[in-house]
Each structure stands twice: as structure tokens, then as C-alpha cells.
Amino acid sequence: MTVAQTRHNESPGSATAPRGSSGRRGLSRPAAFAAITAIFVLFMAASSAPSPLYVVYQQQWGFSASMLTTVFAVYVVGMIGALLVLGALSDHIGRRPVLISAIALEAAAMVLFITAGDVSLLLLARFVQGIATGAAMTTLGATLVDLNPPHAPHRAGVITGAAPTFGLGLGALGCGFLVQYGPHPTRLVYVILLAGLVLAGMLLAGLPETSQLRPGAARSLQPRLGVAPRLRADLIALVPILVASWALGGLYLALGPSVAVGLFGLSSHVIGGLVVTILCVPASITAFALRGWPTERTLALGAALLVLGTAVGLTGVEAGSVTAAAIGTALAGVGFGAAGLASFGTLARIAEPAERGELFAVAFVISYLAFSIPAVVAGFATTNVGLHRTAVVYSIAVIAFGALALIAQRVRTARAADPVVEVLPVSGPTQAGR
């Protein structure tokens, strides 16, 4: 069912009309969609910007690889906490208030980064940034679906799959160049991001409210993960591919620059940022290139390339070949992009408007648990058993989850082929009683 159909068939008493939907001039829906996309990219660029700086912070402040991944971990702790507590809030009070608050908190984190003089303030900055990003991500995803144009029903899913990886790659590479060639390497990038956040706040002032407001805002703050029973089977089938892809992303963001230095002797900060970019940019390009593909084929391709790319990258690590490692990273990036496109596209398609906040919150919690916990374990393992052995074991684990994702999609496809299941299509203008 399209967004327009869903809203048309909702009873007038089922929800309060979106604030700002009448009597308020602001951005047109296409302009608002573009603005939300840009803000999504900005948040993700800010989240990856510290990655090339970790090596600099280590050199300046003398902390271990374990502390490095602790800095990475507190960001994810803040993010997941925000997803659990605030994930459904925008369904009740509106998208705009949540996004404006998230931008203000993200700006406060940038100020903390700019003034950080030791690891304790860096930890605080990352934690605050995690809360801001967690509050923003699920709301941004839901807002894109709200604003999705009827003539392009898959656009929101494409953007939700592509924007995170594009932003991650842009932030890491941009910061790498600024650290290598710009003045004040530990501050300039955050000043630029702060300016971008100010602009984002100005854009939000003209954003029309898109959420059908519901009562129960205070109750929604109780930490919980809720998925409607009819959506659970589809979500469970996506878990292996989410784990495989985001665990790989976590490894690159947490330890990628360290691997470039420690295993390949590449000390340039640009190279440190490029490690992340080689994974993330192909992922974004793939999400756009495959947007017309069937979901089942896209998921299968994503899982297969995650397995193949990680295996090729592992071969490069074992052989000391930068070329093989780069090729493997790019292949895995294509798999990452296909996985994100199909996963979030599926979620955007199957959820009703009142379910979007919670469903995206659950999906992001799964993704970022996979993004963070293995990377933190890898950081501690690096201190104890070495970077090389840690990279090998981590890669094998990603390959195993990629293979499990292939199996899960085969099972899901077989179930979908059952004519009993196909009696009730997910979308379409002819659904009876809708």
C-alpha cells in the first residue's frame, strides 16, 4: 500500500492531522524530501568524521586500541539508548520537534569535539553525538517515507539504504583530507560540520509536519522494542544480512585506519579515510543502481558479495597485498549497499504509517548492535592477540553471517512462493477493504 492510499483510508478520528499540514507555508514536499536526505547524509558524515582522527588522538594522548574502541562504543551506546527511548516519539509528537532537538544536541557534540583536550572529553562528545544520531536516524527514515512521492514508491527505501553509507564515506574521506592538508586537524572538521548543522536547523524551520500525531507520547518513552506480529517474519529474515553488513562496517570505521597503518604501513590520513570510503561509496552507488531490482534478487546479491568481498579482502591481509584488500573492500561495499537497499526498502514498503517509527528503531538497533559489539570485541582482542589475528577472525565471522543470510533469503523466497502467502499482497491499489 502506498503512503497516499494509507492516509486516504485512515479514519478521521484515528489520529490528529499532521501539524503544519494546513495554514502553514513552508518547503514543498519535493524540497522537503531533498532537505531530509541532505540532513541524513550530514548526520552520518558527522558520525564517521572522527575515524581518521583516532590515530591522531592516540598519538597526542597516548591511549591503547582498547580505549580507541571504547570511544567508538560509547557513541553506539548513546545511539542505541536513544533508539530504544526515542524511537517511536516522532509518531506521537511529530517529526519536526524530534529532528530539531537532535540537531541541537548534535551541535553541542561538535562544540565538545572542538574543545576536547583529553580522552575523557572525547568520550563525552561521542556519547552525546550517539544520542543525537539515534534520535535523528529513525525519525529521518520515517520522514522520508512520509514524504515519498506516489510516482516513485521505492525512493524512500533507496535513500534510507544509500544515505547512511554515502554519509559515512563522505565524512571519513573529507576528514582525512582536512587532517592531512588543513590547519587545526582535530578541530576544523567539527567547525565545518557545526556550520552544516546550523543550516540544517534553518531548513527544518520550513519543513511541513508529516506525522499523524497519536496520544501516548510519555508511554512511548519506555525503553522497548515492538514489532507488529505481521511484520516479524520479514524482519527476522533480514537479521543475518543486517548483522553481516553492519558488522563489516563497524570493523572499518573502528579499526580500518589502524589496519592501514599496522598491517600495510600506509600512514597517510587520507588513506585512513579512504579505507572507509572504498567500502561506503560503492555501497551508495549500488543502492541507486539497483533500485529497480526485485528485493529477493538484491538481497541474494548483497549476501553473496559480502561473502566474496570479505574473503578477497582477507586474502589481501594474508598476502600483504593492498590491491587485493582494496578490491575485496569495494566488492564488500557493493554487497553492503545491496543489503541496505533491500533491507530498508522492504521495511519501508511493509510498514503502516503508525508503525514506521518503531519498526525503523528496531532495524537500526539490530544494525548498530552488529556495528558496535563485534568492533569493540575486536579492539580488545587487538590489544591481546594482535591486529592481524583479530582481522582474520573478524572476517571469517562476517563470511559466516553472509552465508547464513543467503540461507535465510532462500527460505524466505520459498515461503513467499507459497500461493497461500501470495493471496494478500503487500502493496497495490486493489486491496480489498483498504
Side-chain angles (χ1 to χ4, degrees):
M1 174 176 290
T2 66
V3 174
Q5 288 170 323
T6 301
R7 287 181 176 165
H8 176 77
N9 290 289
E10 286 178 341
S11 62
S14 63
T16 304
R19 291 182 300 184
S21 59
S22 62
R24 181 181 182 275
R25 300 182 63 84
L27 296 176
S28 65
R29 289 179 69 88
F33 189 95
I36 292 297
T37 300
I39 293 170
F40 209 150
V41 171
L42 176 64
F43 265 93
M44 299 314 298
S47 72
S48 67
S51 291
L53 285 168
Y54 286 150
V55 175
V56 178
Y57 290 136
Q58 277 186 291
Q59 293 171 349
Q60 290 184 352
W61 301 333
F63 56 81
S64 66
S66 298
M67 178 55 70
L68 187 154
T69 49
T70 300
V71 173
F72 177 77
V74 297
Y75 164 76
V76 181
V77 168
M79 175 184 289
I80 292 176
L83 287 170
L84 290 172
V85 175
L86 305 175
L89 185 61
S90 72
D91 291 336
H92 299 274
I93 70 171
R95 313 297 189 207
R96 290 179 69 247
V98 175
L99 289 176
I100 290 171
S101 299
I103 285 177
L105 199 57
E106 183 81 0
M110 295 302 106
V111 173
L112 288 171
F113 278 121
I114 292 169
T115 58
D118 56 39
V119 73
S120 61
L121 204 55
L122 181 62
L123 286 165
L124 178 60
R126 280 298 264 172
F127 181 68
V128 172
Q129 185 183 33
I131 296 173
T133 306
M137 285 189 67
T138 182
T139 308
L140 289 165
T143 307
L144 285 172
V145 177
D146 294 341
L147 294 167
N148 198 68
H151 66 274
H154 301 295
R155 183 172 298 174
V158 172
I159 297 299
T160 307
T165 49
F166 180 77
L168 291 173
L170 179 65
L173 184 61
C175 182
F177 272 99
L178 291 175
V179 172
Q180 187 72 33
Y181 301 112
H184 309 294
T186 60
R187 292 180 173 84
L188 179 58
V189 65
Y190 302 119
V191 173
I192 294 173
L193 289 168
L194 182 59
L197 289 165
V198 172
L199 178 59
M202 295 170 62
L203 288 173
L204 279 180
L207 183 74
E209 182 54 68
T210 62
S211 176
Q212 296 283 347
L213 309 188
R214 296 186 291 149
R219 188 168 58 253
S220 76
L221 298 178
Q222 297 174 1
R224 63 188 177 89
L225 291 175
V227 178
R230 69 180 186 84
L231 303 177
R232 289 173 187 168
D234 285 311
L235 180 62
I236 290 171
L238 294 174
V239 168
I241 194 76
L242 290 172
V243 171
S245 56
W246 285 94
L248 186 66
L251 174 66
Y252 275 79
L253 262 76
L255 295 176
S258 298
V259 170
V261 173
L263 297 185
F264 296 108
L266 304 173
S267 58
S268 169
H269 296 297
V270 174
I271 297 297
L274 193 61
V275 169
V276 179
T277 304
I278 292 175
L279 179 77
C280 293
V281 169
S284 297
I285 294 172
T286 300
F288 280 102
L290 303 185
R291 62 188 181 275
W293 277 34
T295 299
E296 292 77 11
R297 187 193 303 176
T298 307
L299 283 169
L301 176 68
L305 287 179
L306 281 169
V307 171
L308 176 62
T310 305
V312 173
L314 178 58
T315 301
V317 169
E318 289 293 277
S321 170
V322 175
T323 301
I327 292 173
T329 299
L331 287 172
V334 174
F336 195 177
L341 168 66
S343 299
F344 288 101
T346 297
L347 298 177
R349 187 185 73 245
I350 65 177
E352 300 284 351
E355 299 167 334
R356 285 176 194 143
E358 289 184 342
L359 183 61
F360 274 91
V362 172
F364 281 127
V365 166
I366 293 169
S367 299
Y368 278 91
L369 283 174
F371 188 66
S372 59
I373 293 176
V376 172
V377 172
F380 284 97
T382 296
T383 302
N384 295 311
V385 302
L387 187 58
H388 179 270
R389 186 178 299 179
T390 300
V392 170
V393 173
Y394 200 116
S395 298
I396 292 172
V398 170
I399 291 170
F401 271 100
L404 181 60
L406 281 171
I407 296 171
Q409 292 312 311
R410 284 184 178 274
V411 171
R412 182 173 180 269
T413 301
R415 187 188 66 186
D418 188 334
V420 175
V421 177
E422 290 187 336
V423 168
L424 297 176
V426 174
S427 61
T430 60
Q431 296 183 62
R434 300 298 289 178

